[in-house]
Amino acid sequence: MSTRELPTYCRICEPLCGLIATVEDGRLVQLRADKEHPLSRGNACPKGIAFSEIQNDPDRVLYPLRRTAAGEFERVSWDTALDEISERLRGLIAEHGIESLGWYFGNPSSFSYSHTLWMLGFQMAAGLKHVYSAGSQDVNNRFVASQLLYGSATSVPVPDLDRTDFLLMLGANPLVSHGSVMSVPRVREKLTAITERGGRVVVVDPRHTETAKLFEHVGVRADGDAWLLAAMLQVIFEEGLEDAEALRRQAAGVRELRAAVARFTPEATAAVTGLESDRVRALARDLARAESAAVYGRTGTCLGRHATLVAFLIDALALVTGNLDRPGGSVFGKELVAVSELNARLGFVGYGKNRSRIGGFPDVLGTFPAAIMAKEITTPGPGRLRALFTSAGNPVSSVPNGRELASALAQLDLFVSIDIYVNDSNRTADYILPATTFLERDDIPLPFTALSPTPYTQYTERVVEPYGEAREEWRIIDALATRIGVQPFAIGPARAAGRLLSTLRRRVPGLSSARPTPTLLADLALRTGPYGDLFGLRRGGLSLRMLRRHPHGVVLADAITTGVLRDVVQHKGGRVRLDPDEIIIELHTLTDRPADPAYPLRVIGLRELKSHNSWMHNVELLMRGDREHAARINPKDAAVAGISDGDRCRVSSAHGCIEVTARLTEDMTEGTVAIPHGWGHRGGWQRANAAGGANVNDLMSTDLADVERLAGMSNLNGVPIRLDPVA
Ligand SMILES: Nc1nc2c(c(=O)[nH]1)N[C@H]1C(S)=C(S)[C@@H](COP(=O)(O)OP(=O)(O)OC[C@H]3O[C@@H](n4cnc5c(=O)[nH]c(N)nc54)[C@H](O)[C@@H]3O)O[C@H]1N2
Ligand SMILES: Nc1nc2c(c(=O)[nH]1)N[C@H]1C(S)=C(S)[C@@H](COP(=O)(O)OP(=O)(O)OC[C@H]3O[C@@H](n4cnc5c(=O)[nH]c(N)nc54)[C@H](O)[C@@H]3O)O[C@H]1N2
Ligand code: SF4
Ligand SMILES: [Mo]
């Protein structure tokens, strides 16, 4: 028997904690935290450790599955599956064109460089239009705000946690989520260090969260952030607290922004924010006067009705107070691979290059709002979505109006899913193709270096061979593409990458393999990137070979370099634009949702330590202790509705209704109810199915008017609801 201990890293969420995998005869026996990882230093959460149960889960899909006429799944060979799928694809493309083909890629895809690269290569080479992702339920508003501010969608500032004196955090709960759109192992320590050195952390959240309990809490009303941020800017301008020097140096359009926020006094906004005007005024003054301050917002600010505006105002507030691109402020990390720069030059993906057939929404980095996917399937006419692939996604559970989507999926001519489970979406797929887990593939976290206040990276080989017949997504995409005559990295804008590759192949010994592979592309991108070894020209620079010699990861710098705004901003003149029409118009027209006595409360999301979106409810270690799906309700709201702790209650919105257990807690501000997403399972995962609960997204709307206009964000927070006791 051979036992090996292999360093790798966790790819469930963004800190990417170092792990040690114990492998016996090709099987994973255990995962534990890696003490030698330079940043996570022996820290990992229960989900990371419990991933061994997913790796070894008997419910995993390990062989290609085909759905029979009776609706059951049967095992088929890879060749059968790929041949049949591509034959049907060729038929559909011949009859309806490539526009009839679409893809939805879910959250775990962003933790696999090879999946992302091949997906993008295929999308561009095939000219796919119907591309959707978890991004419209997560972060696309952030990219659009960056496009408007900086002219560069992929340039996103992160809070400089190690040096800041004041962190204003809106709609984020890093004590549970472990941080998002910032890659920070041991995030709790980083946050408490701020207050330990005399600084402040202020958490703006309708719920008194785990994070808010450690620091200062501002209990904003759900979806009130745009008003709060505008009011803070109003106070700062009115009282002359802005950093005039920074504005002169960095910004254009200050006057217009100042005029647009003038009506948002703390008094005028108090009813919408639920906050006393004195409190908002003091917060604005304190932020402006802090030695340094960072402003950071996450999903709580991304899923309301004004998500792009809110993301925009978050950075505007940092800039106006002189805290953008300076130590301790909101800072721009250096990318491991110069994606933003390359994209600025070659224009691979951007914002508003295309419009969706339904609703005319602008694309965000090549993707359309997932909220319209169902209507794109069911609405007849040219360009109708007829064949859909999902990879690493469970959209029925994660996008608004799950029931509508489930019934639309059943109308597809062809539905293929690449996943590790039969989940709540692909249970009606024609084929399910088994993907490898992250332990079964090599990886390098390409996008995350720029999001880490301490820049670092790590390369890992696979630690076990794929179980059963599981295959990496890129290989599946490659095989399908080849069979329908599409070559990722050969056509369209991707040709540039292909050309670069063939030039380098001629010059660099060892780069001679016939087809590009992810490892080859990653090595190339890394070596020619900002930290790269430039094929020997830069001593100590990065290459995969160098990273293989440091299997626990490499810290690349002590801190993010500041003073880089000129390089970040792509607008002519090199200044941050504070007055884009889209934003100024929205500020002028901003109105609160009219009160509806039928739905007096608002629902928001909630993440729990032992859940991960929809896909870790099959893990025994995480489900112990009778976990159940529950709505968190303020006791006063519960009393009005006639509901007691532990009761079953009906939650209704104008769009649907679900039943869940009620948990009364003073943690909720009055008027707001929190319900986790990702429950109510009907997949092939036995324990998850048995865990009960409901799909909270059945309450959410896909009406075009409810999809945020600028970034196509789904409205999942602050949605009006009513509570009723269940008889
Ligand atoms: N109401 C409400 N809805 C929300 C949110 C919310 O806060 N409130 N949050 C939103 C957010 S931020 C997100 S990111 C989305 C998530 O939305 P999705 O990405 O659509 O859904 P997940 O639950 O992450 O499901 C991931 C799927 O990938 C599979 N999987 C796991 N690892 C791999 C792998 O390595 N390869 C492959 N091929 N498959 C794999 C899992 O089995 C699972 O089926 O949900 C969104 N929905
Ligand atoms: N344990 C665990 N960790 C996770 C995940 C998970 O499912 N479980 N999911 C991962 C994913 S995909 C993501 S994107 C990240 C998300 O990372 P975070 O955004 O940090 O995670 P959340 O816990 O959703 O925090 C959002 C907070 O916003 C608050 N909120 C809701 N509505 C509003 C509002 O209108 N205004 C304000 N100001 N706040 C509001 C909620 O109460 C909540 O505390 O977490 C990742 N990490
Ligand atoms: S916090 Fe947990 S789930 Fe996230 S990367 Fe670390 S170990 Fe994995
Ligand atoms: Mo997410």
Side-chain angles (χ1 to χ4, degrees), residues 98-125:
I98 192 80
E99 336 47 293
S100 59
L101 176 57
W103 206 292
Y104 170 93
F105 55 99
N107 172 274
S109 69
S110 43
F111 296 95
S112 164
Y113 83 107
S114 51
H115 187 172
T116 314
L117 270 176
W118 252 246
M119 173 64 226
L120 198 66
F122 179 66
Q123 176 184 350
M124 290 195 291

Side-chain angles (χ1 to χ4, degrees), residues 213 632-635 645 663-669:
K213 282 176 184 161
R632 274 58 158 198
I633 308 169
N634 181 285
D645 191 58
R663 282 281 159 242
L664 308 200
T665 164
E666 299 282 353
D667 286 349
M668 296 309 305
T669 49

Side-chain angles (χ1 to χ4, degrees), residues 12-14 47 107 138 170-174 176-180 204-207 209 220-225 296 298-301 604-613 677 717-718:
I12 298 171
C13 79
E14 291 166 70
K47 288 181 301 171
N107 172 274
D138 186 340
L170 303 101
N173 188 15
V176 169
S177 72
H178 300 114
S180 181
V204 179
D205 199 306
R207 182 172 152 252
T209 60
V220 73
R221 200 157 151 257
D223 213 9
D225 304 273
Y296 164 77
R298 208 44 203 93
T299 55
T301 61
I604 60 169
L606 185 148
R607 282 183 160 77
E608 295 172 298
L609 265 182
K610 294 186 175 176
S611 290
H612 196 76
N613 296 327
H677 71 285
N717 279 338

